[in-house]
Amino acid sequence: MSTLTPSLARGRGRGGVAIQIALALVITVYLWLFLQAQSQIEVCVLLVVAAVAVFAANRFGLTGRIEVATRSSPRAGPWCALIGTLTLIAVFYDVHYVLLLICTVLLFSTACLGLTVQFGYVGIANFAGAAFFGIGSYTIAVLAARTGIPHLLLIVLSGVVSAAIGSILILPVLRTRGHYAALVTIAFGILFQTFVEVNNLLGGPQGLHLPGISTFGYSFSDGLELFDQDVSFYVPYALLSLVIFAAAYVVIKRLERSWIGLSMDVVRTDETAAATFGIHIARWKVIAFMLGNFLAGVAGSVYGMMTGFVSPDNFTFSDSLLLVSIAVLGGLGNPLGLVPAAFIVLVLPQKLQFIQEYRFLFYAVVVIAILLFRPDGLLPRRTRQFFNNEVPR
Amino acid sequence: MDALGQYIVNGLMLGMIYAMVAVGFTLFFGVLDAIQFSHGDVLMLGAFAGLAASLGVSALGISSPWLQLVAVLVCAVVVTGLLGAAIARFLILPLHRAPPLNTLLATLMLGSVLRECVRLFYPDGANPKPFPALLPTSFVKLGTFGLRVDNIILLLAGLVVIVGLHLLITRTRLGLAIRAVAQDGETARLMGIDFSAVVLLTFGLGSAIAALAGVMNGLYYNEINFNEGLLLGVIGFSAAILGGLGNVYGAILGGFLFAGLEVLGSAALPALVPDIPSAYKDVFAFAVVIILMAWKPTGLIAERMSERV
């Protein structure tokens, strides 16, 4: 492979971009069809089409070519995805429900990016994801009601508070491993839920109302009018969620590619070896844990502002498990896999009414099946490659 | 005096239930080095199986509470014993070579499955169900303090289970095999012990003990709930860790210690902080778990660990 001449490599790169654009187009059209599908039969047909397409792509080696394409020109994919998402938001500009789904997927994916850093990179299993998400929502609810701090700043602040409260757990998490650390986070998740349930200042079981984001004198919940068309008030939220997710994604991807990501991977795979090579285990665990909780808090604050309401029922242990299922389903440690996984976990039950009631059961069974039969998830994480002409392993 | 007596009985009762749950965790960890996190939900399922049995028996026209009790116990033990063995066979053994967190996650999800199944498919399972009072509810007078007969029976029954388990593990061939597998699975196999049979039996045994704890819990509070397994599972796991995973006596000790802490918390908290709602006792209990883990990361009686490089 190293004998590849530069012009040939460039030519293949151009082909790679074309493949990625085509793929993005197909996925965008598919999502458009899926999101606007009304009847159960339509949804089922689309699901079957997707299953057949994935099977056929695997069968005829298309998946491999897509993988080579994304590897040869890694910058094209994210831009295509960004444009595709913007297109979807533009197409559904006045459909509240679909925009709400898009926002939910983006925000939960952001929270799961945090879990990916914790679970996938340094190997801290965090079963209190919903609690940190909830801390973000509650922080912004309290601060927006009682202070005049600008809301965009409050979003960042919610993440900081989430990370700060999470730092209580640093000592037990650092001193324990595996099962023991998992127990600490499970205990914290349940502690948080019971605490907000009994705390009257935070609204108790009834929860709190949130005002919705307003910034630079413009209130998001007013909606807006563009080209004589009423645009749903979810559009600004969708754009904000997209910006937050894109920023988090870029940061995490850069992090993974850098020596920081490399150190984190070593910490996860073998602590003894990491210590032997002079890697500061505690430092990377603390940074990953704080960063993950920060992202969950940020996502939670925007989600709370968007739905206008927080209550303890939204942050149960089952919701934490739901976040973990998204991270595992997507392929642990692969930020790209989170979006389809979040889509399957969050949107599918909304579209297929008959599994709505059974959704926790459905996720749990899917995750068990994934763990038993495809432990690497839907889109397994690949070994990182620093050079284009490296032989893939 | 009355209040103190009530606290002591309550603490002993909770301790017995926690100990019986913790013993399961520690047995499973002993033989397979795996955490079976759906253990609490297996317990809940056992309690529901018992409830169904009692309803079925009374529908047949048998009204004797003792016969009903036998039916409840047999049904609960058989259902959970089989379920425990099935979990080991189809979920934990296949994942034995995978990273340990995968087992933890898979069993957490299985707990979710069991919870949701009871909530969705048991008739009106989403609401708390009354558990029949099958034991005599008369009082024994001890001075001014009235001790309920059913509490005495439950405590004695728990003691019998624990002593029985002790005898099983130390005096029988099965116990010897369990101890051998726990010490070193490979060597045990070389000595002609059927590894997977021992594992399945251990899981059945641990789950059956959990079912007994679930029935005890139901008889004590006269109510069962599809959600109770999660809390009992977390507490039982904490108790097992407190006593050092893999150590049966440590788990029993941990169970009673944890119950003591909880009762102490619910008694001392209102005295220390006036006007605090009683619901904070759960917050207190879980805060204690986190603090204990920070202080003694592998339990009061530490698990023996050595790093193989």
Side-chain angles (χ1 to χ4, degrees), chain A residues 307-330:
Chain A
T307 49
F309 177 67
V310 283
S311 85
D313 291 345
N314 300 343
F315 313 116
T316 59
F317 183 60
S318 296
D319 294 290
S320 293
L321 281 184
L322 188 140
L323 289 175
V324 178
S325 354
I326 294 176
V328 171
L329 194 63

Side-chain angles (χ1 to χ4, degrees), chain A residues 59-265:
Chain A
R59 184 79 182 73
F60 298 114
L62 209 59
T63 342
R65 283 181 61 187
I66 291 169
E67 216 169 283
V68 171
T70 47
R71 201 175 285 141
S72 66
S73 43
R75 277 165 202 280
W79 285 110
C80 293
L82 191 67
I83 292 166
T85 318
L86 283 174
T87 317
L88 281 178
I89 294 174
V91 168
F92 291 108
Y93 69 95
D94 59 347
V95 192
H96 297 320
Y97 179 61
V98 171
L99 287 169
L100 176 64
L101 287 182
I102 294 177
C103 290
T104 311
V105 167
L106 286 172
L107 290 174
F108 274 72
S109 303
T110 311
C112 289
L113 277 175
L115 280 188
T116 301
V117 177
Q118 297 172 339
F119 203 166
Y121 294 174
V122 294
I124 300 172
N126 182 357
F127 290 102
F132 292 111
F133 199 79
I135 291 173
S137 300
Y138 271 99
T139 308
I140 204 164
V142 171
L143 290 182
R146 308 219 169 146
T147 64
I149 305 173
H151 285 172
L152 288 184
L153 199 63
L154 273 186
I155 293 174
V156 179
L157 210 59
S158 308
V160 173
V161 169
S162 193
I165 293 180
S167 65
I168 299 171
L169 293 184
I170 283 181
L171 186 66
V173 163
L174 280 186
R175 295 194 49 165
T176 52
R177 274 192 216 175
H179 318 303
Y180 302 97
L183 175 72
V184 171
T185 56
I186 292 170
F188 180 77
I190 300 178
L191 187 150
F192 172 77
Q193 197 212 340
T194 32
F195 181 77
V196 290
E197 224 160 55
V198 296
N199 193 313
N200 290 327
L201 284 176
L202 295 175
Q206 274 82 42
L208 292 173
H209 279 282
L210 284 86
I213 296 179
S214 52
T215 176
F216 303 119
Y218 165 66
S219 173
F220 275 27
S221 32
D222 285 349
L224 68 166
E225 219 167 88
L226 276 182
F227 312 115
D228 294 335
Q229 296 284 342
D230 276 334
V231 173
S232 161
F233 66 93
Y234 280 118
V235 168
Y237 283 110
L239 294 176
L240 180 65
S241 314
L242 184 61
V243 168
I244 289 176
F245 174 74
Y249 183 84
V250 169
V251 169
I252 302 295
K253 264 304 210 197
R254 294 283 135 186
L255 200 74
E256 188 202 357
R257 212 179 146 73
S258 72
W259 55 277
I260 299 177
L262 208 57
S263 308
M264 286 180 171
D265 274 338

Side-chain angles (χ1 to χ4, degrees), chain B:
Chain B
M1 188 63 207
D2 284 4
L4 185 67
Q6 197 49 51
Y7 276 127
I8 291 175
V9 171
N10 197 15
L12 284 176
M13 203 64 219
L14 281 178
M16 200 64 90
I17 293 170
Y18 294 165
M20 283 162 78
V21 182
V23 159
F25 276 109
T26 218
L27 275 178
F28 304 154
F29 188 81
V31 292
L32 268 188
D33 283 0
I35 298 297
Q36 209 280 69
F37 218 100
S38 47
H39 197 52
D41 299 288
V42 170
L43 173 153
M44 176 274 300
L45 200 77
F48 269 86
L51 177 63
S54 92
L55 293 180
V57 168
S58 46
L60 284 177
I62 301 169
S63 59
S64 153
W66 295 108
L67 276 178
Q68 277 198 31
L69 189 64
V70 170
V72 165
L73 289 177
V74 168
C75 182
V77 164
V78 169
V79 167
T80 53
L82 289 178
L83 180 67
I87 292 172
R89 172 71 188 78
F90 296 109
L91 197 62
I92 296 180
L93 279 179
L95 285 173
H96 192 36
R97 300 263 167 247
L101 277 178
N102 285 18
T103 315
L104 181 72
L105 192 58
T107 51
L108 268 172
M109 291 297 167
L110 182 74
S112 218
V113 169
L114 295 177
R115 252 193 322 278
E116 288 295 300
C117 281
V118 169
R119 183 174 76 87
L120 295 165
F121 303 124
Y122 193 88
D124 192 26
N127 295 319
K129 309 295 270 178
F131 203 84
L134 298 172
L135 295 171
T137 48
S138 51
F139 285 88
V140 177
K141 280 279 176 203
L142 285 178
T144 56
F145 176 60
L147 194 58
R148 282 175 57 162
V149 174
D150 54 349
N151 290 355
I152 303 176
I153 296 176
L154 285 176
L155 283 176
L156 285 179
L159 205 62
V160 167
V161 170
I162 287 174
V163 171
L165 180 73
H166 165 74
L167 292 178
L168 179 80
I169 287 182
T170 52
R171 300 288 155 83
T172 62
R173 283 177 67 84
L174 174 64
L176 192 63
I178 291 177
R179 278 182 293 149
V181 168
Q183 210 165 46
D184 189 336
E186 296 281 316
T187 316
R189 258 190 257 215
L190 288 177
M191 299 297 155
I193 293 172
D194 187 343
F195 180 77
S196 46
V198 170
V199 167
L200 296 193
L201 274 173
T202 311
F203 271 76
L205 179 72
S207 305
I209 293 176
L212 292 178
V215 172
M216 269 172 74
N217 190 46
L219 287 172
Y220 185 60
Y221 291 109
N222 287 327
E223 187 181 86
I224 55 174
N225 186 338
F226 81 98
N227 233 342
E228 71 183 15
L230 183 60
L231 209 65
L232 277 172
V234 172
I235 291 175
F237 186 31
S238 316
I241 284 186
L242 217 56
L245 272 178
N247 182 337
V248 174
Y249 307 106
I252 295 168
L253 189 72
F256 280 100
L257 201 63
F258 204 86
L261 277 174
E262 206 172 328
V263 171
L264 197 69
S266 64
L269 221 50
L272 291 174
V273 191
D275 303 330
I276 196 164
S278 64
Y280 274 103
K281 79 175 200 306
D282 283 341
V283 177
F284 174 77
F286 285 108
V288 169
V289 172
I290 295 175
I291 293 168
L292 278 175
M293 294 295 295
W295 175 48
K296 287 269 182 190
T298 53
L300 296 174
I301 308 169
E303 178 196 351
R304 274 168 297 142
M305 267 213 301
S306 57
E307 192 87 19
R308 256 178 254 173
V309 185

